Amino acid sequence: MPRPIQATIHTEALRHNLRRMRQAAPDARVWAVVKANAYGHGIERAFEGLRGADGFALLDLSEAQRVRAMGWRGPILLLEGVFEVRDLELCSRLDLWHTVHCEEQIDMLAMHKTNLPQRVFLKMNSGMNRLGFSPERYRAAWTRLNALPQVDEISLMTHFSDADGAKGVAQQMAVFARATLDLPGERTLSNSAATLRFGETALEPDLAAGATMASDWVRPGIAVYGSAPDFPAHSAAQWDLRPTMTLGAKIIGVQTLQAGDSVGYGSSFVAEGPLRIGVVACGYADGYPRHCTTGTPVLVAGVPCRMVGRVSMDMITVDLSPVPAAGFGTEVTLWGQAANGAVLPIDEVAHAAGTVGYELMCALAQRVPTVAA
Ligand SMILES: *Cc1c(COP(=O)(O)O)cnc(C)c1O
């Protein structure tokens, strides 16, 4: 028997979350962002749940190839564009749309020999200061692209730094709107947080026309995978998002502690009285965050329990007090949905580790057998 740990990808939840994002931006088309191997879900496993999207957005050419191999003939967008001229040949061959965020990428396009002009998404740095042309240089970049025979259609793109937080998106929106006012082309602005929080809001109506969140394409990633982009301000359930990944394992050993006994490396947890401890076949080498400490929530037979002591490479230990009947072989849910329907949001576990749901999903280890259900 293989070690009792398994991840399950929930196809129906992916479908639901995608519908939810459509509802949040009813006039936009939806890119399902599937970078980082569909946020750790596996592109091939997630595909069935996401095929209702209008397009797939990702980073790697190899991921684009995998999406095409699934039979997808619709739009695919490379969110960081190409990294060398040769990549443009694959863009032509696989019919990929790609982001253009710097002069070097325009140089590459100018060098690319093709008679199939490509669709590009010209990215503005509207304040995040990561990728993109400054508002002052944006128009010149657009003009340069527009003159290239290699370029077919130019769409306009930016990315928000604070869509999930107090600062919000109004300032970046205003910058983007002002600098693109009379430029033709489709727009794409919003990630999950912006789509959920501001999807239907017309911000700063005093701004020049066009300064609303309404855009032609939205780019949700994390929300599609059932994690709240602004946790703990909102939970996934509050946004009506369902978990798409369950990490489950079993108890493979039980210990009974007396007052003063400790558990695991560093003896970081010491029992105050008699305590049954379940040893679970899941550790940091499976992708469970090592930064979780005593008190991190975990479900045993679908009942809320707490992790105690340090996370080891292959095991964690849990306090079985709430489930006296638990023992060898009992189901443990590290995040996601238990057999009895109880849900442990991935965001709560991430929070206990001082990180975000994104990181936990993406870090699911190769060695964990994963199935789509
Ligand atoms: C990753 C990414 C997204 C999706 O972000 P979420 O917060 O997961 O919704 C959208 N746009 C770009 C450019 C990205 O890199």
Side-chain angles (χ1 to χ4, degrees), residues 246 299 301-303 331 333 336-344:
T246 292
L299 301 176
V303 177
E331 171 210 26
T333 307
Q337 189 156 17
N340 72 353
V343 168
L344 173 54

Side-chain angles (χ1 to χ4, degrees), residues 51-76:
R51 66 190 313 154
D54 299 299
F56 289 92
L58 41 73
L59 300 184
D60 288 304
L61 284 163
S62 63
E63 290 185 331
Q65 271 169 320
R66 286 164 61 194
V67 174
R68 286 284 181 242
M70 299 299 288
W72 177 255
R73 296 179 181 281
I76 297 179

Side-chain angles (χ1 to χ4, degrees), residues 30-39 42-48 50-78 90 93-97 225:
V30 180
W31 295 109
V33 179
V34 293
K35 63 188 178 188
N37 199 21
Y39 288 48
I43 286 177
E44 288 76 10
R45 283 186 291 268
F47 184 77
E48 187 53 38
L50 298 180
R51 66 190 313 154
D54 299 299
F56 289 92
L58 41 73
L59 300 184
D60 288 304
L61 284 163
S62 63
E63 290 185 331
Q65 271 169 320
R66 286 164 61 194
V67 174
R68 286 284 181 242
M70 299 299 288
W72 177 255
R73 296 179 181 281
I76 297 179
L77 174 63
L78 298 176
L90 214 51
R93 193 136 33 93
L94 296 174
D95 190 16
L96 309 180
W97 302 353
Y225 303 102

Side-chain angles (χ1 to χ4, degrees), residues 301-322:
V303 177
C305 292
R306 59 173 185 148
M307 208 210 47
V308 294
R310 274 199 203 151
V311 175
S312 336
M313 183 185 269
D314 311 310
M315 287 169 259
I316 60 169
T317 38
V318 301
D319 173 356
L320 295 180
S321 316

Side-chain angles (χ1 to χ4, degrees), residues 164 227-236 239 345 347-351 355-356:
D164 55 333
S227 161
D230 60 344
F231 186 87
H234 289 91
S235 67
W239 285 124
D347 297 324
E348 288 185 19
V349 182
H351 198 65
T355 183
V356 287

Side-chain angles (χ1 to χ4, degrees), residues 33 35 39 59 79 123 130 157 159 190-193 219-223 229 358:
V33 179
K35 63 188 178 188
Y39 288 48
L59 300 184
L79 288 166
K123 185 160 185 180
R130 223 171 44 175
M157 175 177 182
H159 190 57
S190 296
N191 59 2
S192 298
R219 307 188 303 269
I222 195 68
Y358 296 84

Side-chain angles (χ1 to χ4, degrees), residues 230-299:
D230 60 344
F231 186 87
H234 289 91
S235 67
Q238 282 172 320
W239 285 124
D240 186 21
L241 299 169
R242 299 183 190 158
T244 59
M245 178 192 284
T246 292
L247 179 58
K250 286 183 177 169
I251 293 179
I252 57 168
V254 176
Q255 299 292 341
T256 304
L257 307 188
Q258 303 303 328
D261 289 347
S262 65
V263 179
Y265 288 119
S267 301
S268 71
F269 174 80
V270 179
E272 287 172 3
L275 195 65
R276 280 183 85 230
I277 295 290
V279 181
V280 183
C282 177
Y284 63 77
D286 300 298
Y288 192 84
R290 190 178 169 280
H291 285 105
C292 285
T293 50
T294 295
T296 302
V298 47
L299 301 176

